[in-house]
Amino acid sequence: MGLKIAIQGIKGSNHHKVATDFFGNDIELLECSSFDAIIDHLLTGTADKGVMAIENSIAGSIIPNYNLVYHNKIHIIGEHYLNIHHHLMVLKGRTFEDIKEVHSHPMALLQCKEFFRAHPHIKLVESADTAETAKLIKEKKLKNIAAIAPKMAAELYGLDIIADNIQTIVNNATRFIILKKQNKVLPKEEIDKASLRFITDHKRGSLATVLNVMSDCNMNLTKIQSLPVIETPWKYAFFVDMTFEKYEQFAKAKSLLEIMAEDFQVLGEYKNARLQ
C-alpha cells in the first residue's frame, strides 16, 4: 500500500476524490470524523499527509482550519481545486416517489435548497458527511431515504443516481490544501505560491505598508483573511495567500516581512493549482 492519507469524511466523499486526484489510487485512506483528527494523525505520524478543505467559492473560508494549521505548525505542501457536483442517490430500484427524507452535510443541503422547493414533502436532514448517508443506505437497505453525495459515493456503494447536479449554482468549487508535518517538498524553481500568517501593530497604515511591500516585490495577493488572536483581545492576525513568478521575488518579500510584521510565519510554499 502507498501513502497514508488522512481525510475528513469517509470513502466516497469529496475529500476522498481530492486524495485520489492528487496522490493516485495507490493510497491508504484514513477516514476522520473531524478536521482536528486529520491534524492529530499528522502530528503522531500515523498519516503521511492530509487533505483539508479550506474555502468554497460560494460559502467562503472555513475559518477554524486556518488556526488549526497555524497552531499545530503543520505545513501546506500543495493545493487542489475541485468542482463540486451534488447528486441525489437512492437504494437500487427505488424512485423519487419513494423518498421521504434526504440526508447530507449541511453545506450540501444548503447548496441544493432550491431543488427541493418543488418537493416540500421531503424532509432535509443534516448528517456529518456527504458520503456517510450513501453508505448507510446500502448497509441498512434504507428504502425511503436519499443522499446528496458525489458520484464516487454512488459507484462505491452501488446506489442509483436519480437526479444529477442538483446544486443551485453550477460554478461551485472548493479549494483543498495538502498538509504535511514537514515543510517544502518541491524544488524552489517549481514553487510559485505561498501561504503566510502575520500580525501587524496598531499604528495607522501598518497593514497597507505590508501590502505595499508585497506589491513592490511583485507578489500577487490571492487571499487575505483576518482572524482574532485569541490570546490578545482586539488584536488580529492575517492569513495571506500570494502567487509569484520567481522564488527569488518571494524570498525578498519574506525577508522584509520578517522584519516588518509581528509573529511572522510561512505556513507553506507550494505550486499554484489554479493558474490565471
Side-chain angles (χ1 to χ4, degrees), residues 154-220:
E155 294 166 355
L156 271 174
Y157 303 117
L159 304 182
D160 285 342
I161 292 177
I162 55 172
D164 279 300
N165 291 310
I166 64 171
Q167 65 272 9
T168 304
I169 300 173
V170 176
N171 296 320
N172 175 14
T174 296
R175 177 181 174 234
F176 294 79
I177 49 177
I178 312 302
L179 303 172
K180 194 169 184 276
K181 195 174 178 181
Q182 294 81 28
N183 208 344
K184 294 184 302 241
V185 295
L186 293 172
K188 288 181 179 180
E189 56 270 20
E190 290 184 33
I191 295 171
D192 57 3
K193 189 169 184 177
S195 295
L196 315 174
R197 188 254 191 204
F198 58 84
I199 297 171
T200 58
D201 59 33
H202 282 299
K203 292 177 185 175
R204 187 175 64 186
S206 293
L207 179 59
T209 303
V210 168
L211 296 179
N212 283 334
V213 166
M214 293 181 188
S215 177
D216 290 343
C217 294
N218 295 311
M219 299 292 102
N220 177 33

Side-chain angles (χ1 to χ4, degrees), residues 2-268:
L3 291 170
K4 293 179 180 178
I5 310 298
I7 64 164
Q8 190 275 320
I10 67 170
K11 290 176 182 175
S13 65
N14 285 317
H15 278 78
H16 180 197
K17 170 76 172 141
V18 172
T20 55
D21 284 352
F22 198 90
F23 296 107
N25 292 312
D26 186 26
I27 56 175
E28 181 181 340
L29 216 59
L30 302 177
E31 300 172 338
C32 300
S33 59
S34 67
F35 291 116
D36 295 76
I38 296 174
I39 300 296
D40 290 341
H41 273 299
L42 293 171
L43 291 175
T44 58
T46 47
D48 298 305
K49 292 168 186 172
V51 173
M52 178 184 283
I54 196 72
E55 61 180 307
N56 177 265
S57 58
I58 299 170
S61 299
I62 305 173
I63 290 175
N65 287 357
Y66 284 91
N67 271 331
L68 264 181
V69 172
Y70 164 70
H71 282 297
N72 292 285
K73 294 182 169 54
I74 296 296
H75 299 281
I76 302 169
I77 60 161
E79 65 176 4
H80 186 81
Y81 289 83
L82 182 69
N83 290 320
I84 305 298
H85 300 283
H86 293 307
H87 305 286
L88 191 65
M89 55 194 70
V90 293
L91 194 66
K92 275 203 175 295
R94 309 311 288 182
T95 64
F96 202 95
E97 288 67 36
D98 296 317
I99 301 173
K100 293 180 181 177
E101 294 182 3
V102 172
H103 296 217
S104 195
H105 188 277
M107 193 60 67
L109 293 174
L110 183 67
Q111 292 171 359
C112 300
K113 192 169 65 174
E114 288 301 314
F115 177 84
F116 292 103
R117 282 190 189 276
H119 311 284
H121 65 285
I122 294 176
K123 184 180 178 182
L124 303 181
V125 180
E126 294 183 358
S127 63
D129 178 62
T130 52
E132 183 181 61
T133 300
K135 185 181 180 184
L136 284 173
I137 289 171
K138 181 190 178 182
E139 288 179 349
K140 297 189 176 181
K141 303 278 191 291
L142 302 176
K143 297 178 179 178
N144 302 115
I145 293 178
I148 299 171
K151 189 169 286 184
M152 178 187 266
E155 294 166 355
L156 271 174
Y157 303 117
L159 304 182
D160 285 342
I161 292 177
I162 55 172
D164 279 300
N165 291 310
I166 64 171
Q167 65 272 9
T168 304
I169 300 173
V170 176
N171 296 320
N172 175 14
T174 296
R175 177 181 174 234
F176 294 79
I177 49 177
I178 312 302
L179 303 172
K180 194 169 184 276
K181 195 174 178 181
Q182 294 81 28
N183 208 344
K184 294 184 302 241
V185 295
L186 293 172
K188 288 181 179 180
E189 56 270 20
E190 290 184 33
I191 295 171
D192 57 3
K193 189 169 184 177
S195 295
L196 315 174
R197 188 254 191 204
F198 58 84
I199 297 171
T200 58
D201 59 33
H202 282 299
K203 292 177 185 175
R204 187 175 64 186
S206 293
L207 179 59
T209 303
V210 168
L211 296 179
N212 283 334
V213 166
M214 293 181 188
S215 177
D216 290 343
C217 294
N218 295 311
M219 299 292 102
N220 177 33
L221 194 70
T222 60
K223 175 82 175 179
I224 183 166
Q225 179 77 50
S226 65
L227 287 181
V229 178
I230 298 169
E231 304 83 9
T232 313
W234 310 117
K235 198 161 193 175
Y236 290 85
F238 295 94
F239 290 83
V240 169
D241 291 334
M242 57 175 66
T243 60
F244 41 89
E245 290 184 7
K246 295 180 180 178
Y247 188 87
E248 291 72 24
Q249 296 169 329
F250 170 63
K252 181 182 176 184
K254 184 167 59 170
S255 63
L256 292 170
L257 292 173
E258 282 174 339
I259 299 167
M260 296 174 60
E262 299 176 31
D263 200 19
F264 176 82
Q265 185 173 317
V266 177
L267 303 177

